Amino acid sequence: MDKLLIRGGRRLQGEVSISGAKNAALPELCAALLCAEPLTLDNVPRLQDVATMLALLRRIGVQVERAEDQPARVCLAAGGAIDPVAPYELVKTMRASILVLGPLLARFGRATVSLPGGCAIGSRPVDQHIKGLRAMGATIAVEHGNIVASAGRLRGARITTDMITVTGTENLLMAAALAEGETVLENAAQEPEVTDLAELLIAMGAKIEGHGTGRIRIQGVERLHAPAVPHRIVPDRIEAGTFLCAVAAAGGEVVLRDARARHLDAVIAKLREAGVTVEAGEDWIRVRADARPKAVSFRTSEYPAFPTDMQAQFMAVNCIADGAAKVSETIFENRFMHVNELVRLGAQIQVDGHTAMIQGAPRLSGATVMATDLRASASLVIAGLVADGATTVERIYHLDRGYDCMEAKLRALGADIERVR
Ligand code: EPZ
């Protein structure tokens, strides 16, 4: 299994290009199931999760092509025979596979999708996806570990999910695009990735308004078509936030290209509170850190509040900050697994339920640590950049799920980091 070997103590300097957003790419690849014409997406990140989703779509019967000369461009065609099944062996490796359920039901009237198991950060049920599709007229049974669904043409409905769910909103949004009549999604997720999906669907002929707010209204149409021009996937705000935290911890000055500061308001506000300088334009962010950051408390919540996907990375900054910080994780029940590994690097952290208290330490000391999930991996890399001596991060297949060539990007900024087999 691949590892990352990091020698800490280097400041970061230079420019880094942010890739397309993983959490926009995954639903938008599934949107190809909604129309018979080929859908072309640009700025598709090179991630393990994207490869898994493309394998699933191929298995379902979607033709997938990556242009040799344009690796970030993917063309998907769902005009042929479709086998609407998402099997356990693929779904168990990536929960986002659930995103084929809504489109398959909406266009083909049937789907068998393995029930995603839990994952490291929590049980992560999909009951709200099922509740919403049933409200739209689908017959759904859960048997032998599979979601078995069928429907005539889905009917629009007013749906209020019990909690805000990102992929739940996305599944229902895609289903509603082809349903008969109006669907109103109350309590909808407002993440930029949901908005980007809605904009793709509108370019395909869907009638959607209110995306980006808590109430999305969709008038179903008979069919969708390919957009007139390839849709460019929105930049990854979590990758951008991860690099901002890396500079905050390691020090230096970096410009992030193709980054949207307006998608990171809560994170940037906390970095400024920590004493980090952040300037931004329409599609770039400059971050500068000259001194030890101040400790900053925060609590995660749904967008536009502080994102749970940035909790582990910012905790790494707090590990070497001046002062004590309190971090509250309100979205997932088990998203502190990076804590024990950070403690191996000398961090001083006490966890009590959904809250962690971090006493900033002047220094961390390098050690071998183990990645447990995607964002925990990023947190350990950031800590390794500042720890004295060598840090080896094991099981970085977790990192490869959601970051496009992170070590290459960090090395180009001056970090002493390499992948070892
Ligand atoms: C999406 O996961 C993201 N993944 C996650 O990013 C992100 O952490 C999460 O949203 C929260 O922002 C993708 O977009 C592919 P939820 P999702 O449904 O949709 C509960 C990363 O690191 N819930 O918004 O699965 C759930 O248990 C990943 O890139 C139900 O109870 O998350 C959680 O406590 C990790 N029933 C809360 O709601 C449901 O039917 C929010 O989950 C659905 C969700």
Side-chain angles (χ1 to χ4, degrees):
M1 272 191 242
D2 288 4
K3 304 172 184 174
L4 284 182
L5 177 56
I6 308 165
R7 291 180 184 81
R10 299 275 191 91
R11 291 167 61 80
L12 302 177
Q13 300 282 345
E15 292 199 359
V16 62
S17 289
I18 299 303
S19 303
K22 168 177 82 81
N23 291 348
L26 295 175
E28 291 177 17
L29 291 169
C30 296
L33 290 165
L34 290 169
C35 77
E37 299 170 19
L39 170 65
T40 301
L41 295 174
D42 271 344
N43 203 28
V44 180
R46 286 165 298 177
L47 304 173
Q48 185 53 49
D49 273 8
V50 167
T52 302
M53 183 62 85
L54 291 176
L56 172 59
L57 291 169
R58 283 194 187 93
R59 191 213 170 281
I60 290 175
V62 178
Q63 277 77 46
V64 175
E65 280 170 32
R66 265 196 192 269
E68 287 306 312
D69 57 338
Q70 292 174 294
R73 171 169 284 191
V74 175
C75 186
L76 306 104
I82 291 290
D83 177 20
V85 175
Y88 179 65
E89 64 269 13
L90 280 173
V91 174
K92 73 180 177 185
T93 65
M94 186 185 63
R95 311 179 32 69
S97 307
I98 192 70
L99 285 164
V100 302
L101 179 60
L104 285 173
L105 262 185
R107 178 141 173 263
F108 303 100
R110 58 199 176 92
T112 301
V113 177
S114 173
L115 196 60
C119 75
I121 63 178
S123 59
R124 301 181 70 185
V126 290
D127 54 302
Q128 300 300 306
H129 303 235
I130 293 170
K131 166 184 161 180
L133 291 169
R134 278 178 174 153
M136 297 172 81
T139 301
I140 301 183
V142 179
E143 51 197 36
H144 308 300
N146 284 320
I147 300 166
V148 182
S150 61
R153 186 176 180 196
L154 292 173
R155 294 186 309 275
R158 174 181 290 276
I159 302 165
T160 303
T161 49
D162 297 357
M163 79 293 294
I164 294 172
T165 158
V166 173
T167 50
T169 300
E170 292 165 342
N171 240 335
L172 297 176
L173 186 57
M174 290 190 279
L178 287 178
E180 183 172 8
E182 178 179 72
T183 296
V184 179
L185 301 181
E186 301 285 4
N187 209 13
Q190 304 179 40
E191 274 70 3
E193 295 77 28
V194 177
T195 301
D196 200 57
L197 170 65
E199 285 166 3
L200 166 63
L201 295 173
I202 290 167
M204 294 169 72
K207 296 188 179 351
I208 300 170
E209 55 187 31
H211 43 295
T213 76
R215 170 179 290 145
I216 304 178
R217 198 182 289 274
I218 307 107
Q219 301 298 336
V221 295
E222 290 283 334
R223 69 177 52 77
L224 295 173
H225 54 74
V229 295
H231 176 79
R232 188 174 194 277
I233 293 171
V234 67
D236 194 320
R237 62 191 166 100
I238 304 302
E239 183 192 21
T242 301
F243 278 99
L244 295 179
C245 285
V247 176
E253 180 167 353
V254 171
V255 175
L256 281 63
R257 295 289 175 207
D258 205 10
R260 305 270 176 84
R262 64 184 179 281
H263 292 162
L264 280 163
D265 282 343
V267 175
I268 290 172
K270 290 293 178 183
L271 287 167
R272 285 172 173 154
E273 222 181 289
V276 177
T277 303
V278 182
E279 298 159 304
E282 174 61 27
D283 62 356
W284 59 266
I285 303 173
R286 179 183 292 111
V287 56
R288 191 177 69 245
D290 305 316
R292 183 181 179 192
K294 301 183 192 71
V296 174
S297 295
F298 62 90
R299 59 181 293 123
T300 65
S301 188
E302 294 84 0
Y303 192 88
F306 194 100
T308 175
D309 291 351
M310 282 299 306
Q311 179 257 108
Q313 299 92 308
F314 209 108
M315 186 184 284
V317 179
N318 274 330
C319 287
I320 48 94
D322 181 7
K326 177 179 173 184
V327 171
S328 302
E329 171 56 60
T330 72
I331 303 291
F332 291 114
E333 64 264 31
N334 188 33
R335 205 169 196 178
F336 281 150
M337 283 175 303
H338 40 287
V339 167
N340 290 333
E341 301 303 307
L342 290 169
V343 167
R344 280 182 51 73
L345 299 174
Q348 298 168 39
I349 308 171
Q350 294 290 330
V351 170
D352 177 11
H354 290 259
T355 299
M357 289 303 297
I358 303 104
Q359 178 61 48
R363 313 192 69 73
L364 296 178
S365 61
T368 296
V369 289
M370 188 168 72
T372 50
D373 59 85
L374 169 55
R375 306 303 174 183
S377 321
S379 172
L380 298 175
V381 170
I382 291 170
L385 292 174
V386 299
D388 295 338
T391 294
T392 300
V393 183
E394 298 185 332
R395 301 191 180 179
I396 54 160
Y397 58 85
H398 290 291
L399 193 77
D400 295 337
R401 293 190 54 172
Y403 287 96
D404 187 348
C405 306
M406 179 187 263
E407 78 269 13
K409 291 185 178 183
L410 283 170
R411 200 163 42 244
L413 294 174
D416 182 346
I417 181 171
E418 60 179 316
R419 182 178 289 252
V420 293
R421 298 265 182 253

